[in-house]
Amino acid sequence: MSQNLIAIAINKLMPLINQCIEYGIGITPGGKLLKTVSSGHNDRIIIEREYLNALTNGGIFVHYHPKGYSLSFKDFETAHYYNLAGIIAFVTNGYNGKGIYVINNPRSVDYSRIKNLFIRLHFHEVNILNIKCQKNAKLNYSKEYKKIDRKVWLKISKITKLNYYWIRF
């Protein structure tokens, strides 16, 4: 898939980011940009099945995470189920600044294994953060929480063959 199409998709979404709502745009396996979608929430996009079906078997979904978080497990789950070539979340206020989180070829890994690892590691990281915040009242919980999913995905990508990465821009 062309990096140019991904850049075009991100550029189409950039004017919408001041609204603090998740927006997304699909790129079909044939390279066609679909319409921009949103459901008006700041933490999820509810996408029609027909839209996702157009991305099946090789499409890419690019979306904006207004809260600055990495890809969620639901992002991975959707990409895996629809056999996307990749799923991308871009952020402008992540703890590492502006950038994109990417999972390429999510079907190349065992779904059940990833799910179990994600649940276990995420729970572990949240417990560690809770203990740190109890010991140090100066810690900003929401800022520190932004780091958790990224940490978990990086650990999973080391344990498995999941192709997850972060690119700063």
Side-chain angles (χ1 to χ4, degrees), residues 81-96:
Y81 181 83
Y82 286 94
N83 195 22
L84 301 185
I87 188 153
I88 298 169
F90 76 95
V91 299
T92 56
N93 61 345
Y95 79 95
N96 275 338

Side-chain angles (χ1 to χ4, degrees), residues 17-147:
I17 66 173
N18 292 329
Q19 297 178 35
C20 297
I21 294 173
E22 275 204 33
Y23 285 93
I25 190 165
I27 304 169
T28 67
K32 178 184 173 197
L33 286 172
L34 299 178
K35 68 178 182 172
T36 301
V37 292
S38 178
S39 53
H41 300 280
N42 67 359
D43 60 355
R44 67 188 174 279
I45 301 176
I46 301 166
I47 306 169
E48 295 174 9
R49 188 174 308 272
E50 295 81 25
Y51 191 97
L52 288 168
N53 285 340
L55 302 177
T56 299
N57 296 324
I60 294 176
F61 189 68
V62 179
H63 63 300
Y64 173 63
H65 278 187
K67 292 184 175 183
Y69 295 108
S70 177
L71 291 159
S72 67
F73 183 77
K74 186 67 178 169
D75 289 331
F76 167 78
E77 187 175 54
T78 301
H80 192 277
Y81 181 83
Y82 286 94
N83 195 22
L84 301 185
I87 188 153
I88 298 169
F90 76 95
V91 299
T92 56
N93 61 345
Y95 79 95
N96 275 338
K98 295 180 181 181
I100 60 173
Y101 296 99
V102 180
I103 293 179
N104 277 333
N105 197 15
R107 279 307 270 279
S108 67
V109 294
D110 177 59
Y111 172 83
S112 296
R113 182 170 186 220
I114 300 296
K115 181 178 180 179
N116 290 334
L117 283 168
F118 189 90
I119 290 168
R120 191 179 81 225
L121 293 170
H122 194 272
F123 180 77
H124 177 73
E125 291 295 330
V126 169
N127 282 339
I128 289 172
L129 177 58
N130 287 334
I131 291 166
K132 283 182 181 177
C133 287
Q134 287 172 0
K135 290 181 178 180
N136 183 354
K138 293 180 182 179
L139 273 180
N140 180 326
Y141 185 86
S142 61
K143 183 179 179 183
E144 294 298 314
Y145 190 87
K146 284 183 182 182
K147 300 175 185 179

